[in-house]
Amino acid sequence: MTQELIETVDILRPGKSLVVAIDGPSGSGKSSVSKEVARRLKLAYLDTGAMYRALTWYCLDSGTDLEDGAAVETAAESLPLEISTSPLEEYVRVGGTDVTLAIREPSISAAVSAVATTLGARTELIRRQRGLIELHHRRMVVEGRDITTVVAPHAEVRMLLTASEEARLRRRGIQLGGSQNAEQLAAQVTQRDAKDSTVVNFTRAADGVVTLDSSELDFDETVDAALSIVNRIVNHEGLNRD
């Protein structure tokens, strides 16, 4: 895996680590909010969900049986992935092929849970995710479904970004430009969450994780609320960890 390092500016906790771990269900706004939080704080950014989608694309492209756990695990270990870690640029490449848009297609959304619930594949991608956090000197916003509890349980800031099912379906529909019907949206949001929750809990905040409910908030309000949480934890509660 290769990625671009971005120059980080020490605004909070200068010279020390600042990992902001954000979990949440589909359609909660994790990616867009996390990316903007990273941009504002001048931190690196990692969309772990894009990694699972890239692996799903790789498996389908190579004809890997998604029901064969061992084969999916092998694919994860050989996945030639390049992913942006800058909040200012988005790209995902597999073996040199740009799949940034392809991994958001309905066919990938429908299949990604089969990959994401394969424990061997999760283990490999978690290993890569932790490596990227360290590569960026532990100054990164990382978002997904198991970041606060598995990938980065010792992150300085741990947050669960959630929203009502109605709000999540509405946002995903807007994000996809009205290109999908109600059944397809439900498959992308509620049905996928149900499948993924068999291997990881991302609907309830674990101990020490702050919940941010954005059901009644717009994008800017959600970003401001997330930044407020980060600032409160870092500046007011005080952190002595390096």
Side-chain angles (χ1 to χ4, degrees), residues 198-221:
T198 62
V199 295
V200 62
N201 180 18
F202 51 87
T203 58
R204 293 185 179 181
D207 289 344
V209 176
V210 179
T211 298
L212 171 54
D213 189 331
S214 66
S215 300
E216 304 300 323
L217 304 177
D218 63 22
F219 175 74
D220 289 333
E221 290 170 335

Side-chain angles (χ1 to χ4, degrees), residues 70-114:
V72 173
E73 180 178 353
T74 297
E77 292 171 349
S78 64
L79 176 65
L81 178 66
E82 299 174 64
I83 185 168
S84 172
T85 49
S86 166
L88 306 177
E89 181 181 15
E90 180 181 7
Y91 65 77
V92 182
R93 304 182 189 112
V94 175
T97 299
D98 189 332
V99 298
T100 309
L101 297 179
I103 63 173
R104 305 297 175 182
E105 291 293 328
S107 60
I108 301 298
S109 298
V112 67
S113 284

Side-chain angles (χ1 to χ4, degrees), residues 7 22 45 49 55 61 76 80 85 91 106 112 131 154 165 175 224 228:
E7 182 180 355
I22 301 179
Y45 163 74
L55 176 57
D61 184 66
T85 49
Y91 65 77
V112 67
H154 303 298
E165 181 176 316
Q175 180 186 24
D224 287 343
S228 177

